[in-house]
Amino acid sequence: GNSVTQMEGPVTLSEEAFLTINCTYTATGYPSLFWYVQYPGEGLQLLLKATKADDKGSNKGFEATYRKETTSFHLEKGSVQVSDSAVYFCALSTATGNQFYFGTGTSLTVIP
Amino acid sequence: KAGVTQTPRYLIKTRGQQVTLSCSPISGHRSVSWYQQTPGQGLQFLFEYFSETQRNKGNFPGRFSGRQFSNSRSEMNVSTLELGDSALYLCASSQTTGANTEAFFGQGTRLTVV
């Protein structure tokens, strides 16, 4: 079946620290991979995506590379800001329709 | 361009009642999906509609149902509410279908069952 495993939080970092949030997946077929972000009281916003192996998605300083050999899609940012504090969800989607499988979410707090 | 609009934002219902939630997708988007978000279970897929047809359904009891209208607006209904139905219900719209399709989420409807 399809599933996403995401590192447990919460994660607390100082401003300008390096961020890594681990994500691994199990899927039938060839999924697309996504990172979504959720700010308090809001819905989910797409942060970045990758649709095939070795693709790198990037946005707002965040990056993630689709690694088929390790079935991973780890999120990284070189220097986090207070405004990056949010919950981050790793997700996959398969060719069978617009159904996303989400990880459990990782809460990030960045302190000044 | 307006985003995905969900109404109402907050609801309080009593156990045993029924509730209807509404979702207006982004103009031109034909696919609407619904998700339930709870602290214990995370984000779980409820169902997806495309051109008024339900194409996928998650593992939820028959008390959860939905429909989509010709203008792509969608509603979901929960009958005989239980305390465990308290959750944030998120609607997502997509322009097309398939693995590469990006989904745009609304702000959600917070349902509290007392």
Side-chain angles (χ1 to χ4, degrees), chain A residues 30-32 34 36 38 41-46 49 51 89 93-104, chain B residues 9 31 33 35 37 42-43 45 48 55-56 88 90 94 96-108:
Chain A
Y30 301 96
S32 291
F34 303 80
Y36 277 85
Q38 186 176 35
E42 301 291 322
L44 276 67
Q45 300 176 24
L46 178 67
K49 70 176 185 180
T51 58
F89 292 90
S93 176
T94 68
T96 55
N98 293 343
Q99 177 176 349
F100 284 77
Y101 298 84
F102 287 93
T104 52
Chain B
R9 288 291 309 276
S31 170
S33 303
Y35 292 83
Q37 185 177 24
L43 281 151
F45 173 76
E48 185 227 351
R55 298 196 311 157
N56 283 312
L88 180 66
L90 292 168
S94 302
T96 57
T97 184
N100 299 337
T101 303
E102 176 182 340
F104 296 83
F105 284 80
Q107 292 184 296

XYZ file of all heavy atoms in Angstrom, chain A residues 30-32 34 36 38 41-46 49 51 89 93-104, chain B residues 9 31 33 35 37 42-43 45 48 55-56 88 90 94 96-108:
425
model
N 4.620 4.759 -9.315
C 5.579 5.868 -9.302
C 4.881 7.129 -8.797
O 4.242 7.841 -9.559
C 6.134 6.075 -10.715
C 6.808 4.842 -11.241
C 6.133 3.934 -12.055
C 8.134 4.543 -10.889
C 6.751 2.788 -12.515
C 8.753 3.401 -11.343
C 8.057 2.528 -12.155
O 8.665 1.390 -12.603
N 5.036 7.397 -7.507
C 4.304 8.530 -6.939
C 4.975 9.869 -7.216
O 6.156 9.924 -7.570
C 4.347 8.235 -5.437
C 5.658 7.537 -5.253
C 5.821 6.678 -6.493
N 4.216 10.922 -7.044
C 4.772 12.268 -6.916
C 4.852 12.568 -5.425
O 4.047 12.077 -4.633
C 3.871 13.296 -7.608
O 3.908 13.117 -9.005
N 5.427 15.492 -2.223
C 5.109 16.881 -1.894
C 5.504 17.190 -0.446
O 5.510 16.311 0.415
C 3.591 17.127 -2.016
C 3.006 16.818 -3.362
C 2.710 15.507 -3.726
C 2.725 17.837 -4.262
C 2.161 15.213 -4.964
C 2.166 17.548 -5.499
C 1.885 16.239 -5.843
N 3.928 19.986 2.223
C 2.945 21.022 2.506
C 3.274 21.632 3.865
O 3.821 20.968 4.746
C 1.533 20.445 2.536
C 0.886 20.287 1.176
C 1.114 19.142 0.403
C 0.070 21.289 0.658
C 0.526 19.007 -0.845
C -0.527 21.158 -0.582
C -0.294 20.012 -1.328
O -0.882 19.887 -2.564
N 1.550 24.012 7.129
C 0.308 24.489 7.743
C 0.641 25.456 8.865
O 1.280 25.091 9.849
C -0.509 23.317 8.288
C -1.889 23.708 8.810
C -2.698 22.491 9.240
O -2.173 21.514 9.758
N -4.008 22.549 9.009
N -4.170 27.788 12.458
C -5.496 28.222 12.038
C -5.717 28.246 10.541
O -6.756 28.748 10.083
N -4.784 27.710 9.798
C -4.884 27.762 8.333
C -4.974 26.361 7.734
O -4.759 25.358 8.418
C -3.658 28.473 7.757
C -3.451 29.884 8.255
C -4.511 30.824 7.733
O -4.919 30.673 6.563
O -4.948 31.708 8.499
N -5.283 26.319 6.436
C -5.224 25.062 5.710
C -3.793 24.780 5.295
O -2.853 25.409 5.776
N -3.632 23.827 4.391
C -2.302 23.443 3.942
C -1.906 24.240 2.709
O -2.724 24.472 1.812
C -2.267 21.950 3.598
C -2.052 20.974 4.749
C -3.228 20.980 5.694
C -1.807 19.578 4.217
N -0.646 24.624 2.670
C -0.105 25.318 1.494
C 1.015 24.464 0.902
O 1.848 23.939 1.646
C 0.469 26.678 1.887
C -0.523 27.631 2.501
C 0.153 28.916 2.960
O 1.223 29.287 2.458
N -0.459 29.594 3.901
N 1.018 24.364 -0.411
C 2.092 23.609 -1.057
C 3.405 24.355 -0.897
O 3.502 25.547 -1.205
C 1.797 23.414 -2.543
C 2.884 22.672 -3.321
C 2.968 21.227 -2.859
C 2.609 22.741 -4.820
N 7.363 20.389 -4.614
C 7.004 19.060 -5.079
C 8.070 18.521 -6.025
O 8.876 19.279 -6.566
C 5.645 19.067 -5.780
C 5.639 19.774 -7.125
C 4.279 19.637 -7.797
C 4.284 20.240 -9.191
N 2.958 20.111 -9.864
N 8.224 15.233 -9.080
C 7.352 14.271 -9.733
C 8.063 13.025 -10.229
O 7.394 12.062 -10.634
C 6.623 14.927 -10.915
O 7.610 15.431 -11.822
C 5.744 16.066 -10.438
N 4.162 18.872 6.463
C 3.642 17.550 6.106
C 4.291 17.063 4.822
O 4.296 17.762 3.807
C 2.126 17.606 5.887
C 1.324 17.870 7.109
C 1.019 19.174 7.482
C 0.869 16.827 7.898
C 0.274 19.427 8.619
C 0.120 17.063 9.031
C -0.179 18.370 9.395
N 1.308 11.285 -3.845
C 0.117 11.130 -4.657
C 0.452 10.166 -5.781
O 1.551 10.222 -6.331
C -0.313 12.482 -5.229
O -1.413 12.338 -6.092
N -0.495 9.292 -6.083
C -0.245 8.310 -7.128
C -1.103 8.615 -8.351
O -1.944 9.520 -8.334
C -0.567 6.892 -6.626
O -1.982 6.795 -6.425
C 0.150 6.595 -5.324
N -0.898 7.853 -9.372
C -1.586 8.114 -10.631
C -3.048 7.740 -10.599
O -3.776 7.992 -11.553
C -0.879 7.368 -11.764
N -3.502 7.157 -9.502
C -4.887 6.685 -9.460
C -5.877 7.784 -9.098
O -7.037 7.529 -8.927
C -5.040 5.529 -8.443
O -4.560 5.976 -7.171
C -4.254 4.324 -8.896
N -5.416 8.984 -8.950
C -6.358 10.055 -8.671
C -5.814 11.040 -7.676
O -4.690 10.920 -7.198
N -6.607 12.026 -7.356
C -6.136 13.099 -6.490
C -6.274 12.727 -5.025
O -6.910 13.432 -4.249
C -6.916 14.373 -6.798
C -6.600 14.877 -8.176
O -5.607 14.486 -8.770
N -7.440 15.735 -8.705
N -5.694 11.619 -4.646
C -5.704 11.204 -3.260
C -4.293 11.314 -2.721
O -3.363 10.694 -3.247
C -6.184 9.762 -3.116
C -6.149 9.254 -1.689
C -6.717 7.861 -1.541
O -7.323 7.329 -2.467
N -6.524 7.266 -0.380
N -4.132 12.107 -1.674
C -2.847 12.299 -1.050
C -2.751 11.429 0.200
O -3.713 11.273 0.945
C -2.654 13.761 -0.644
C -2.333 14.661 -1.804
C -3.318 15.073 -2.679
C -1.035 15.112 -2.010
C -3.026 15.901 -3.756
C -0.737 15.946 -3.081
C -1.729 16.342 -3.946
N -1.553 10.886 0.407
C -1.239 10.170 1.632
C -0.255 11.042 2.395
O 0.821 11.358 1.879
C -0.627 8.809 1.311
C -1.561 7.908 0.547
C -1.663 8.004 -0.843
C -2.350 6.965 1.194
C -2.528 7.186 -1.562
C -3.203 6.139 0.486
C -3.290 6.258 -0.886
O -4.140 5.448 -1.592
N -0.635 11.426 3.592
C 0.161 12.366 4.370
C 0.915 11.682 5.505
O 0.433 10.712 6.095
C -0.745 13.441 4.986
C -1.269 14.438 4.012
C -2.487 14.254 3.395
C -0.550 15.581 3.714
C -2.990 15.175 2.489
C -1.034 16.522 2.811
C -2.251 16.309 2.199
N 2.071 12.234 5.821
C 2.749 11.872 7.054
C 2.039 12.528 8.229
O 1.082 13.279 8.060
N 2.528 12.258 9.413
C 1.868 12.737 10.628
C 2.140 14.205 10.924
O 1.510 14.774 11.809
C 2.308 11.914 11.840
O 3.743 11.901 11.881
C 1.791 10.491 11.746
N -16.639 28.266 8.887
C -15.307 28.029 9.446
C -15.379 27.234 10.742
O -14.502 26.429 11.043
C -14.607 29.353 9.727
C -14.155 30.102 8.501
C -13.004 29.392 7.767
N -11.889 29.036 8.615
C -10.893 29.834 8.953
N -10.891 31.077 8.528
N -9.893 29.405 9.719
N -11.812 18.989 -9.769
C -11.645 17.923 -8.777
C -11.683 18.518 -7.376
O -11.014 19.512 -7.088
C -10.309 17.207 -9.001
O -10.040 16.329 -7.921
N -11.469 17.215 -3.261
C -11.222 16.135 -2.311
C -11.475 16.632 -0.900
O -11.331 17.825 -0.625
C -9.765 15.644 -2.412
O -9.463 15.221 -3.714
N -10.679 15.883 3.342
C -9.810 15.229 4.317
C -10.278 15.574 5.723
O -10.771 16.665 5.974
C -8.360 15.696 4.157
C -7.715 15.232 2.877
C -7.915 15.920 1.681
C -6.914 14.105 2.851
C -7.340 15.497 0.503
C -6.322 13.667 1.679
C -6.545 14.370 0.516
O -5.968 13.940 -0.657
N -8.826 15.976 9.558
C -7.579 16.133 10.299
C -7.863 16.117 11.799
O -8.624 16.949 12.312
C -6.865 17.434 9.931
C -5.497 17.581 10.590
C -4.761 18.840 10.171
O -5.360 19.828 9.754
N -3.443 18.812 10.273
N -4.176 12.250 12.362
C -3.559 13.062 11.312
C -4.543 13.360 10.198
O -5.735 13.490 10.426
N -4.021 13.450 8.979
C -4.837 13.768 7.809
C -5.270 12.477 7.133
O -4.445 11.704 6.673
C -4.033 14.613 6.824
C -3.921 16.082 7.157
C -2.631 16.664 6.603
C -5.118 16.841 6.582
N -7.887 10.764 4.168
C -8.667 11.004 2.962
C -10.093 10.491 3.137
O -10.303 9.347 3.566
C -7.974 10.299 1.801
C -8.736 10.300 0.514
C -8.804 11.442 -0.273
C -9.378 9.160 0.070
C -9.488 11.441 -1.477
C -10.064 9.144 -1.129
C -10.124 10.289 -1.901
N -13.082 11.807 -3.059
C -12.754 12.745 -4.124
C -13.844 12.725 -5.178
O -14.353 11.651 -5.541
C -11.429 12.392 -4.792
C -10.986 13.415 -5.845
C -10.524 12.813 -7.153
O -10.374 11.581 -7.244
O -10.295 13.594 -8.103
N -14.883 9.454 -7.323
C -13.906 8.566 -7.952
C -13.139 7.729 -6.939
O -12.715 6.621 -7.245
C -12.928 9.363 -8.799
C -13.597 10.100 -9.947
C -12.579 10.549 -10.951
N -11.483 11.227 -10.291
C -10.277 11.349 -10.802
N -10.001 10.843 -11.974
N -9.346 11.988 -10.147
N -12.925 8.298 -5.772
C -12.191 7.568 -4.734
C -12.881 7.790 -3.407
O -13.452 8.855 -3.166
C -10.748 8.078 -4.608
C -9.859 7.557 -5.713
O -9.849 6.379 -6.002
N -9.122 8.455 -6.337
N -10.920 18.928 12.150
C -10.830 19.950 11.113
C -11.051 19.240 9.783
O -10.353 18.276 9.460
C -9.459 20.622 11.137
C -9.226 21.717 10.098
C -10.120 22.922 10.360
C -7.756 22.149 10.085
N -10.916 19.471 5.835
C -10.246 20.242 4.798
C -10.713 19.808 3.423
O -10.854 18.621 3.142
C -8.730 20.063 4.888
C -8.058 20.661 6.112
C -6.626 20.163 6.240
C -8.059 22.180 6.025
N -8.320 20.674 -7.323
C -7.273 20.489 -8.317
C -7.850 20.743 -9.696
O -9.020 20.464 -9.944
C -6.707 19.065 -8.258
O -6.202 18.772 -6.986
N -6.813 19.347 -12.593
C -6.971 18.112 -13.358
C -6.857 16.937 -12.412
O -7.143 17.047 -11.237
C -5.905 18.018 -14.462
O -4.607 18.101 -13.858
C -6.065 19.137 -15.470
N -6.368 15.843 -12.933
C -6.252 14.651 -12.120
C -4.933 13.963 -12.429
O -4.294 14.272 -13.423
C -7.437 13.698 -12.396
O -7.343 12.582 -11.529
C -7.420 13.210 -13.830
N -4.512 13.052 -11.547
C -3.269 12.333 -11.773
C -2.238 12.663 -10.720
O -2.383 13.593 -9.934
N -1.143 11.902 -10.748
C -0.151 11.981 -9.676
C 0.542 13.329 -9.601
O 0.961 13.751 -8.539
C 0.885 10.882 -9.859
N 0.693 14.023 -10.721
C 1.449 15.280 -10.709
C 0.623 16.486 -10.299
O 1.133 17.598 -10.237
C 2.032 15.550 -12.098
C 2.976 14.448 -12.518
O 3.515 13.743 -11.690
N 3.149 14.300 -13.813
N -0.647 16.264 -10.066
C -1.548 17.387 -9.858
C -1.365 17.996 -8.481
O -1.395 17.304 -7.472
C -3.001 16.934 -10.033
O -3.150 16.359 -11.316
C -3.944 18.103 -9.881
N -1.214 19.298 -8.461
C -1.104 20.017 -7.201
C -2.485 20.257 -6.629
O -3.420 20.584 -7.359
C -0.408 21.349 -7.449
C -0.312 22.247 -6.247
C 0.352 23.571 -6.598
O 1.055 23.627 -7.627
O 0.155 24.542 -5.853
N -2.629 20.083 -5.329
C -3.899 20.342 -4.660
C -3.811 21.628 -3.859
O -2.807 21.891 -3.196
C -4.260 19.179 -3.740
N -4.857 22.416 -3.931
C -4.954 23.672 -3.197
C -5.997 23.491 -2.097
O -7.133 23.116 -2.379
C -5.373 24.813 -4.128
C -4.360 25.114 -5.195
C -4.314 24.367 -6.369
C -3.445 26.146 -5.035
C -3.371 24.639 -7.350
C -2.514 26.431 -6.015
C -2.474 25.675 -7.167
N -5.585 23.783 -0.872
C -6.446 23.521 0.269
C -7.137 24.788 0.761
O -6.577 25.887 0.716
C -5.639 22.931 1.421
C -5.280 21.490 1.225
C -4.213 21.134 0.425
C -6.019 20.497 1.835
C -3.884 19.800 0.232
C -5.696 19.158 1.665
C -4.629 18.815 0.858
N -8.358 24.601 1.254
C -9.061 25.661 1.952
C -8.589 25.750 3.401
O -7.744 24.973 3.844
N -9.155 26.703 4.128
C -8.770 26.908 5.523
C -9.417 25.897 6.457
O -9.012 25.770 7.603
C -9.119 28.327 5.964
C -8.270 29.386 5.273
C -8.587 30.766 5.806
O -9.701 31.261 5.647
N -7.624 31.390 6.436
N -10.413 25.202 5.956
C -11.022 24.153 6.749
C -12.244 24.596 7.525
O -12.478 25.798 7.743
